[in-house]
Amino acid sequence: MDDDDSAIARLKRVDSLDALLPLLTELRKLSASLALPSSESMQILSHLLSVTIPEYYEALKEYRRESGIKSLHEVMASVAGLGAIVSVLAVRIAKVKQRPTDEVEQSTLRLLLLFLSDIMRPGIVCTLRAQIRESTKESLYWQEISALFVGSKIVATVAEAFSVLRENSRLINESWIWMADGERFTEFLAVEAVRLHEANAVEMPRLAKFSSRAMALGYPDHFLEIIISRENFQVAIDLSTTFHSVDLIAFTKHLLRHVQFRFLDRLDPDNDANAAKCVAAIGMLLVQLTPPSQENHVMKLLQGGVGGLLLQRAVVCWLLFHGLHEEVFENTLRQWGDKVVIKNQQITRQEAQTDILFLIIPHLTLPYIKQITQSTAFIEGISNRLGAMSPKLRYMGMALGMALNARDENSPRLNFDEVEGFASEYERWRRLLEINDATAMDENWWDDLSVPQVGTDREILTSESDVQISQEHSQRVTGDSDDEEIEDVEDTEGFMPYSLVDDGSEDSDDDPTLRNEKVRPPVYMIDLIAYFNETDESKGLQKHKIALAHAARIILRKSGFGQELAVTSKELAQIMCGLRNNYGLDNFDQQKMNAMIALCVTSPETVGAVYAENVSFGDYSLQERLMMLSSIALASLHLSGKSTYNFDISAEDLFPSKMLPASAHSRFATEKDFAQDWHKVGLGYIDRELRTIKAGSLRASVGNAIERADMGKSGEVFVSRKLLAERERQSGGGSSSSVVRAIQKNSVAPIAGSAFFFPLSMRWKYFTSSITRNSFGEMLVAHYIKTMAIVLNCSYPSATDIFDMSAELMAIVSTVRRDVGEPTVLEAVLTAVLVVMDVNEERVLVDAFSKHLLELKDYLDVSWERIGEEDVRNLAAGVLVKISELVSKWQRRMMGDIIEMGGA
């Protein structure tokens, strides 16, 4: 073969496998010239990927033409070859998306993925590095290598192909799937980093950047599991001393989390012997991998919830080794006693600060303790703690004062045992004072770590057979388990039994070495959102259950400080609107309602608009829409002070016992059956509050009517609103609650219109059009009107837009005249009219709403006999009496307005 041109010409003329083999041998000799991108090499590589491999690669493997396969691998295992493969894969993926039923395209895509998997052998990065070493564009080519491997080009492309193929066909025993698995691919990158270090194939700064980007793919634990081992620990040491400052911060965070879950999570802190040895060993590990310059960052991580008590002890060992414990104690004490920190910082961070202080105290000298106890920071800190509102925060101040006081034998003893609840809290901190860990200084500290190391249980991938084993393991994890049979392993000699997980949860994977982490309650809003968005079936149940149980509490707590709730409230509101009980959780509806109301109470202007929009738009069930409306109504009542919503209502008082499971009930329930479920979405609470509102509105009018009937007189006695309220208070009806409500701040009045009422009224037209095909339309209409009526009632008397809201509500009531024959709708209409009459002065009612009121009076006079339900009939009677009073008093003015409107 003379040159590349003849190579491409001969490739195009190949028509059989026998003609291809000698050509591949000659191309193998030219692999060095084809390794780097050029116009000639790209023509050859393009033809190989588009024609040769799709047509002949399966035949080469079937007939075991090893020489041809090896030649093809060597030609394509290059910077230019891998780049071309990724580009061709992207094109093939697009074609499969366009023609999802084309089996030929799917088969070609699978074949290219298989070929890529075959050339991704251990040492591939070292091979590519050797190819570019003498090039003048060596730096540029190394960037391309990094982009392919740690820049996620390969793993992202293969993952997309996996997703596309899985949608259109079944994937069974596909040997390339491991490249789409981020965990397995990260382990592969860690092995490549070890090989690059052993061969001294790349400068340490480049290797450090390569490793940092590999960990940034999202699976740092799998990378660290390879390099933090007895055999490869020197790699970790060299990397930690080479990382750039930003990368070192990220590495420190990954390292602390890794040692926590890998070595410490399975330890019992009360088992002093094993725990102390492991803590000392990890302290030595941190000494070698974490420089003293990371002191502030390490402390921030511990206070931020990274790790538990055992990791805190290991970090204290690290501080002692570098002599930083006194400096850290003083800095932490200054933060711990700051007023702003005590008032605004999360309690978990303050607990972590207190634990660290107690762990350092046994290592402080007596002169230093005397100096600290006389310092301004200590005295003010204790004083600020003792003056805190929370008992927990006060206990921290008492405990630290007692602990430091106890070290000085000459000072008078402090004793807070008489303080209620302090003794039990102090007992845990007292035990911390008995801990006196030290960094392991012997050479066998690796033996003290609690779990087998990577080098003993699983050898690093060093051969082609090892790669095959890795791929088979990946297939078991990611493949379709329905079509696989797992053979029982009878020979268990030499294997140690695994202890049961203490949280009682089941591990859904057949591999007993996979760790089943205990899900902890979320602390931040972003964590709460992540829990609700969890799609992993193995963790989804626990995370959804814990997130629901703590959602309302977290939301209410976050409302007191910071901007975290303001930033995330809209996203969380959208999630809560469409959240469904996919896992059959107990108390799901009540906990979801609590969270939705808490969101509406804490971020009314943001969340109210979201709920109002979703009631009218989107694919939501009847129950979900009712929940949104109930959340707005109950939040209004809560903010106004008229009724305090109880976020901890017991489930036994809320849910019926003789029903189908929630998932089955929601599917098969009819309108009649579903009626017993309405209290789950807040209708019971709202009806109870509406009865109170209606009773208060009708009491005076009905009382006057009865009084006139008894006296047999047609005259009327006009009484002011203030006198009526005083008469009610003196009569004893709700006297205590009236006084309490009189002094409560109405927080909803300034925002009722903009946050709740007008977003609902603006979407009324779309709402009514969206429910015309819904068999539960009347119920939704009724609840919609009742919600607006409650918001209007809660805004009285402080809101400045009461008249505007009243006008909107009366206009909406007039649009449902055709459905007013339905008892539920009629009740809602009458309730709305009562509220409008109650929050507006009589002169305003006469001037603005006389037409609506007279039409309603005429309707009630005519259809009185047709109202069947007794509650609605009684309500209609009360409304009729109230309108009749108004008409009797302002008859001339009202009839004049009607005549004028008729003449116009």
Side-chain angles (χ1 to χ4, degrees):
M1 187 176 296
D2 297 332
D3 51 30
D4 291 344
D5 291 334
S6 62
I8 187 64
R10 291 181 60 185
L11 274 173
K12 292 180 179 179
R13 292 196 298 269
V14 168
D15 57 359
S16 66
L17 186 62
D18 293 334
L20 177 65
L21 289 175
L23 185 56
L24 291 178
T25 303
E26 295 182 18
L27 284 175
R28 182 179 180 183
K29 298 176 182 178
L30 295 174
S31 59
S33 62
L34 298 175
L36 302 180
S38 66
S39 59
E40 294 80 10
S41 64
M42 295 312 296
Q43 289 184 28
I44 294 176
L45 296 176
S46 177
H47 187 84
L48 289 174
L49 289 170
S50 59
V51 179
T52 305
I53 293 175
E55 292 184 2
Y56 296 104
Y57 190 64
E58 281 187 330
L60 288 171
K61 294 179 72 72
E62 182 178 355
Y63 294 107
R64 298 183 179 180
R65 302 298 178 89
E66 299 297 334
S67 61
I69 295 174
K70 191 172 183 180
S71 298
L72 199 53
H73 288 173
E74 288 193 16
V75 171
M76 298 301 299
S78 62
V79 178
L82 285 175
I85 292 174
V86 172
S87 299
V88 172
L89 281 175
V91 174
R92 292 292 181 179
I93 291 171
K95 290 184 178 180
V96 173
K97 288 182 178 179
Q98 294 174 358
R99 299 190 291 273
T101 59
D102 192 333
E103 295 184 0
V104 176
E105 290 292 347
Q106 293 185 22
S107 177
T108 303
L109 179 57
R110 289 187 181 186
L111 188 62
L112 290 173
L113 291 168
L114 173 64
F115 180 77
L116 176 61
S117 176
D118 288 344
I119 65 175
M120 289 280 287
R121 305 185 180 194
I124 179 67
V125 180
C126 288
T127 301
L128 299 181
R129 171 61 180 160
Q131 292 174 357
I132 68 173
R133 187 180 297 276
E134 303 300 329
S135 173
T136 57
K137 299 180 180 180
E138 181 265 348
S139 178
L140 181 63
Y141 291 146
W142 174 254
Q143 292 180 11
E144 178 62 21
I145 293 173
S146 299
L148 286 169
F149 288 91
V150 296
S152 72
K153 274 190 176 182
I154 291 177
V155 66
T157 303
V158 178
E160 184 180 7
F162 174 77
S163 176
V164 171
L165 291 173
R166 186 174 56 179
E167 290 178 0
N168 302 292
S169 60
R170 302 178 71 85
L171 299 178
I172 304 173
N173 297 328
E174 302 282 352
S175 60
W176 51 267
I177 292 180
W178 70 273
M179 295 186 296
D181 184 355
E183 298 177 358
R184 303 301 302 169
F185 194 80
T186 302
E187 291 180 359
F188 174 82
L189 293 177
V191 173
E192 293 304 297
V194 171
R195 287 179 171 272
L196 288 170
H197 182 271
E198 291 177 348
N200 197 21
V202 67
E203 301 83 354
M204 280 306 302
R206 285 185 174 179
L207 181 58
K209 195 64 180 177
F210 182 92
S211 302
S212 176
R213 294 182 67 183
M215 287 185 282
L217 291 178
Y219 305 93
D221 289 326
H222 293 77
F223 189 93
L224 293 175
E225 189 176 2
I226 298 294
I227 66 171
I228 299 182
S229 61
R230 195 191 301 265
E231 292 76 13
N232 304 318
F233 195 59
Q234 188 59 44
V235 181
I237 294 175
D238 292 344
L239 288 175
S240 66
T241 58
T242 314
F243 279 128
H244 188 268
S245 58
V246 176
D247 295 334
L248 181 59
I249 290 175
F251 174 75
T252 302
K253 181 178 181 180
H254 298 326
L255 176 63
L256 292 180
R257 288 181 170 176
H258 179 72
V259 298
Q260 172 66 38
F261 96 81
R262 181 179 173 190
F263 300 116
L264 299 177
D265 274 357
R266 298 183 183 181
L267 280 179
D268 181 6
D270 298 327
N271 188 347
D272 293 337
N274 293 338
K277 289 181 179 180
C278 189
V279 164
I282 291 177
M284 189 61 188
L285 184 147
L286 294 177
V287 166
Q288 300 189 55
L289 297 183
T290 308
S293 61
Q294 293 296 297
E295 164 206 334
N296 291 334
H297 183 58
V298 170
M299 301 313 297
K300 287 180 180 179
L301 291 173
L302 290 184
Q303 295 173 22
V306 175
L309 178 61
L310 292 178
L311 183 59
Q312 292 173 354
R313 291 169 56 182
V315 170
V316 170
C317 292
W318 172 74
L319 293 173
L320 292 171
F321 183 89
H322 291 295
L324 299 172
H325 56 292
E326 292 184 355
E327 178 185 348
V328 169
F329 185 88
E330 190 170 349
N331 294 336
T332 305
L333 180 64
R334 191 178 298 109
Q335 296 177 13
W336 176 86
D338 187 86
K339 268 187 178 180
V340 177
V341 171
I342 295 172
K343 184 177 181 180
N344 297 318
Q345 201 172 65
Q346 299 95 326
I347 189 68
T348 54
R349 295 181 69 93
Q350 300 189 48
E351 288 177 344
Q353 290 174 350
T354 307
D355 291 345
I356 292 169
L357 291 173
F358 270 84
L359 289 171
I360 296 178
I361 286 177
H363 305 283
L364 300 177
T365 62
L366 183 58
Y368 182 79
I369 289 179
K370 289 184 177 180
Q371 176 187 341
I372 284 294
T373 54
Q374 296 173 7
S375 66
T376 304
F378 175 76
I379 296 173
E380 291 184 353
I382 295 295
S383 176
N384 293 337
R385 287 278 166 182
L386 295 179
M389 296 294 294
S390 169
K392 183 78 171 180
L393 300 178
R394 294 197 296 270
Y395 294 159
M396 293 178 188
M398 299 175 191
L400 187 65
M402 286 184 60
L404 289 174
N405 175 262
R407 290 291 306 275
D408 187 359
E409 298 178 355
N410 298 325
S411 62
R413 299 273 78 82
L414 293 177
N415 192 343
F416 296 98
D417 291 340
E418 296 181 358
V419 178
E420 183 179 358
F422 173 72
S424 59
E425 290 286 338
Y426 181 68
E427 180 61 24
R428 186 183 74 86
W429 286 314
R430 186 193 61 78
R431 290 198 298 267
L432 298 184
L433 298 174
E434 300 174 356
I435 298 174
N436 195 357
D437 296 316
T439 304
M441 300 305 295
D442 58 4
E443 297 180 355
N444 298 322
W445 58 271
W446 272 105
D447 298 331
D448 295 330
L449 295 177
S450 63
V451 296
Q453 303 308 307
V454 175
T456 58
D457 271 12
R458 184 183 64 202
E459 296 296 329
I460 294 179
L461 308 180
T462 55
S463 64
E464 182 178 356
S465 61
D466 292 334
V467 176
Q468 183 64 27
I469 293 173
S470 171
Q471 294 169 356
E472 292 174 357
H473 172 75
S474 176
Q475 293 160 16
R476 289 198 301 271
V477 175
T478 60
D480 194 333
S481 59
D482 295 338
D483 297 322
E484 298 179 18
E485 295 183 1
I486 309 299
E487 298 181 359
D488 294 331
V489 180
E490 298 180 358
D491 186 9
T492 59
E493 184 178 358
F495 289 90
M496 296 179 63
Y498 287 85
S499 59
L500 294 175
V501 182
D502 59 358
D503 63 356
S505 60
E506 297 181 359
D507 194 346
S508 60
D509 202 293
D510 294 324
D511 186 355
T513 63
L514 293 181
R515 180 174 173 273
N516 191 3
E517 298 185 35
K518 185 176 181 180
V519 179
R520 300 182 182 277
V523 178
Y524 303 104
M525 295 295 295
I526 191 172
D527 297 331
L528 183 64
I529 292 173
Y531 274 36
F532 282 127
N533 289 333
E534 180 62 58
T535 57
D536 186 352
E537 294 183 0
S538 62
K539 300 178 181 178
L541 171 60
Q542 283 186 320
K543 287 194 173 183
H544 276 240
K545 183 177 181 180
I546 291 176
L548 265 179
H550 293 80
R553 189 179 311 161
I554 294 173
I555 293 166
L556 294 172
R557 184 171 68 241
K558 292 297 181 182
S559 65
F561 56 90
Q563 297 296 315
E564 188 179 359
L565 182 63
V567 173
T568 58
S569 58
K570 184 173 183 179
E571 181 180 0
L572 184 58
Q574 291 285 8
I575 292 174
M576 297 307 302
C577 286
L579 190 65
R580 297 183 180 178
N581 193 9
N582 297 325
Y583 297 98
L585 300 177
D586 296 333
N587 302 340
F588 173 85
D589 296 295
Q590 183 58 45
Q591 291 173 347
K592 177 182 176 180
M593 175 68 77
N594 289 347
M596 294 181 70
I597 295 174
L599 270 175
C600 211
V601 166
T602 54
S603 301
E605 294 181 298
T606 300
V607 176
V610 173
Y611 290 170
E613 182 175 2
N614 289 344
V615 168
S616 304
F617 302 97
D619 184 16
Y620 295 102
S621 66
L622 172 67
Q623 183 168 340
E624 288 166 345
R625 295 188 186 201
L626 290 174
M627 273 193 175
M628 298 175 210
L629 293 171
S630 298
S631 300
I632 293 176
L634 294 174
S636 300
L637 290 165
H638 186 88
L639 289 171
S640 67
K642 295 178 182 293
S643 174
T644 301
Y645 182 77
N646 183 8
F647 291 96
D648 296 319
I649 299 174
S650 61
E652 290 76 13
D653 298 333
L654 292 172
F655 300 104
S657 58
K658 297 181 180 181
M659 292 176 60
L660 292 171
S663 57
H665 179 73
S666 61
R667 176 178 298 180
F668 297 109
T670 63
E671 179 180 3
K672 180 179 179 181
D673 299 328
F674 212 53
Q676 59 183 320
D677 241 2
W678 290 141
H679 56 283
K680 287 187 178 183
V681 294
L683 268 64
Y685 310 131
I686 292 175
D687 287 342
R688 184 168 60 246
E689 295 299 328
L690 283 175
R691 281 196 295 271
T692 303
I693 294 172
K694 289 182 287 189
S697 177
L698 293 174
R699 186 178 293 117
S701 297
V702 175
N704 288 340
I706 295 174
E707 185 178 347
R708 288 196 306 271
D710 292 340
M711 294 176 63
K713 298 179 180 180
S714 59
E716 298 184 23
V717 178
F718 298 101
V719 185
S720 68
R721 288 178 180 269
K722 291 184 179 180
L723 184 58
L724 287 174
E726 180 66 17
R727 181 191 299 175
E728 179 183 352
R729 188 185 68 79
Q730 292 179 357
S731 66
S735 58
S736 60
S737 62
S738 299
V739 174
V740 172
R741 290 175 185 174
I743 62 174
Q744 283 183 337
K745 178 183 178 181
N746 190 340
S747 302
V748 80
I751 61 169
S754 60
F756 298 144
F757 191 92
F758 292 119
L760 287 171
S761 65
M762 284 190 301
R763 293 169 176 84
W764 169 258
K765 178 180 178 181
Y766 302 100
F767 168 76
T768 52
S769 63
S770 66
I771 62 172
T772 52
R773 297 180 299 276
N774 194 325
S775 60
F776 296 103
E778 295 80 9
M779 181 169 293
L780 266 177
V781 168
H783 198 48
Y784 202 109
I785 295 174
K786 287 180 180 180
T787 300
M788 298 180 71
I790 287 178
V791 174
L792 176 58
N793 179 265
C794 292
S795 67
Y796 177 80
S798 307
T800 59
D801 49 0
I802 286 181
F803 176 76
D804 296 330
M805 288 189 280
S806 302
E808 289 283 341
L809 185 56
M810 290 299 284
I812 288 174
V813 165
S814 65
T815 64
V816 295
R817 194 176 304 165
R818 60 182 177 83
D819 296 323
V820 80
E822 295 291 333
T824 54
V825 178
L826 179 59
E827 181 188 11
V829 168
L830 295 174
T831 302
V833 172
L834 270 180
V835 171
V836 170
M837 296 183 70
D838 200 40
V839 300
N840 289 278
E841 295 295 333
E842 291 181 349
R843 185 178 296 275
V844 176
L845 295 174
V846 172
D847 291 341
F849 308 123
S850 56
K851 182 175 183 294
H852 297 290
L853 295 175
L854 290 174
E855 287 179 351
L856 181 60
K857 180 179 181 298
D858 292 342
Y859 171 80
L860 293 177
D861 288 335
V862 172
S863 60
W864 174 259
E865 300 297 333
R866 295 199 299 269
I867 302 177
E869 296 189 10
E870 184 177 357
D871 291 342
V872 181
R873 189 182 181 91
N874 292 337
L875 177 60
V879 173
L880 194 56
V881 168
K882 199 171 182 70
I883 296 177
S884 298
E885 282 186 347
L886 187 67
V887 171
S888 177
K889 182 177 180 180
W890 300 89
Q891 184 173 9
R892 181 176 300 176
R893 188 183 186 98
M894 293 180 72
M895 294 308 298
D897 291 342
I898 296 297
I899 293 172
E900 288 179 4
M901 285 187 290

